[in-house]
Amino acid sequence: RKEVEQDPGPFNVPEGATVAFNCTYSNSASQSFFWYRQDCRKEPKLLMSVYSSGNEDGRFTAQLNRASQYISLLIRDSKLSDSATYLCVGPDDKIIFGKGTRLHILP
Amino acid sequence: NAGVTQTPKFRVLKTGQSMTLLCAQDMNHEYMYWYRQDPGMGLRLIHYSVGEGTTAKGEVPDGYNVSRLKKQNFLLGLESAAPSQTSVYFCASTRTSTLLYEQYFGPGTRLTVT
């Protein structure tokens, strides 16, 4: 099992809907991860950090499920501008990026 | 602040040629990183540096060398370019001594090796 795995998508979601995707990891001791957002042909930018207590920022919620070894990203009331690729990275003692999940918000 | 800058933005090389990619940051960050990103492969760490004068191998270091002579600069060298090194190269930096932390990325260098 690879250290960090993501469903590549694409997820095609109508504007205003709620969408969630996961990132699974293999190191059961991991305690911190990050979600990055990458627009087409641009550099990745940090979206949220994910620790054991989870994190919420406006329409975005990130959680860490240690029992099942995955982190999740939930986007509520999705906007057209949310269309991007979402990368997870962890665990805390390494830098392993997932391959990314592509999200397309449809008008 | 300019943040993280990369030079050049685009480059085409012939097989066997050499080149150096320059990464510069003006945020006084300790850690710097070089990644490559290929379609379907995601970001992969090539080399990184935890401070001036230090470097370490990442996930895919073969065919690359790096140097960190000044804190603000991190150079990535290709001594003999191969078509397999066609990729987008990103540099990044972080401010703390924790390996996994918020990374600030440069805009990338698109390299094609023919």
Side-chain angles (χ1 to χ4, degrees):
Chain A
R1 181 179 181 182
K2 294 185 179 179
E3 294 209 47
V4 176
E5 292 193 75
Q6 292 184 255
D7 182 343
F11 284 57
N12 297 310
V13 175
E15 189 176 11
T18 295
V19 59
F21 31 84
N22 296 334
C23 175
T24 59
Y25 62 92
S26 58
N27 184 347
S28 60
S30 301
Q31 298 190 49
S32 62
F33 292 83
F34 289 82
W35 281 105
Y36 281 76
R37 170 198 170 118
Q38 186 174 24
D39 293 302
C40 187
R41 301 179 72 83
K42 297 288 188 181
E43 71 273 21
K45 292 185 179 178
L46 181 69
L47 180 64
M48 298 181 77
S49 56
V50 189
Y51 302 105
S52 57
S53 58
N55 198 357
E56 183 171 334
D57 183 5
R59 298 183 293 109
F60 296 82
T61 300
Q63 291 188 316
L64 170 61
N65 186 317
R66 296 189 66 185
S68 300
Q69 294 184 214
Y70 70 88
I71 63 172
S72 62
L73 180 66
L74 177 79
I75 306 174
R76 291 180 295 275
D77 187 23
S78 55
K79 313 291 184 191
L80 294 175
S81 57
D82 294 333
S83 296
T85 296
Y86 292 84
L87 311 171
C88 66
V89 58
D92 34 310
D93 61 338
K94 295 183 182 180
I95 303 177
I96 307 293
F97 277 85
K99 295 180 182 179
T101 296
R102 287 180 295 147
L103 175 64
H104 296 156
I105 304 300
L106 307 173
Chain B
N1 289 348
V4 180
T5 58
Q6 292 184 231
T7 309
K9 288 186 169 54
F10 304 92
R11 185 71 185 270
V12 178
L13 286 179
K14 291 185 180 347
T15 297
Q17 288 184 318
S18 64
M19 77 165 294
T20 300
L21 282 68
L22 171 63
C23 176
Q25 52 93 4
D26 61 1
M27 298 174 284
N28 201 34
H29 284 178
E30 290 293 332
Y31 281 41
M32 296 187 74
Y33 314 81
W34 274 108
Y35 296 90
R36 60 177 291 173
Q37 187 173 39
D38 304 295
M41 294 297 293
L43 277 163
R44 291 181 292 169
L45 182 64
I46 305 171
H47 286 281
Y48 65 97
S49 168
V50 302
E52 182 178 318
T54 71
T55 62
K57 294 180 180 179
E59 183 184 355
V60 288
D62 294 342
Y64 305 94
N65 57 76
V66 288
S67 64
R68 183 102 181 266
L69 298 180
K70 293 183 179 180
K71 186 177 183 179
Q72 63 268 35
N73 296 336
F74 195 28
L75 278 62
L76 178 71
L78 286 73
E79 290 187 349
S80 179
S84 61
Q85 293 178 304
T86 293
S87 188
V88 179
Y89 291 85
F90 287 103
C91 174
S93 68
T94 58
R95 65 175 174 83
T96 75
S97 59
T98 303
L99 188 60
L100 182 65
Y101 200 73
E102 177 180 2
Q103 297 192 37
Y104 293 81
F105 283 83
T109 294
R110 297 183 181 278
L111 175 66
T112 301
V113 182
T114 61

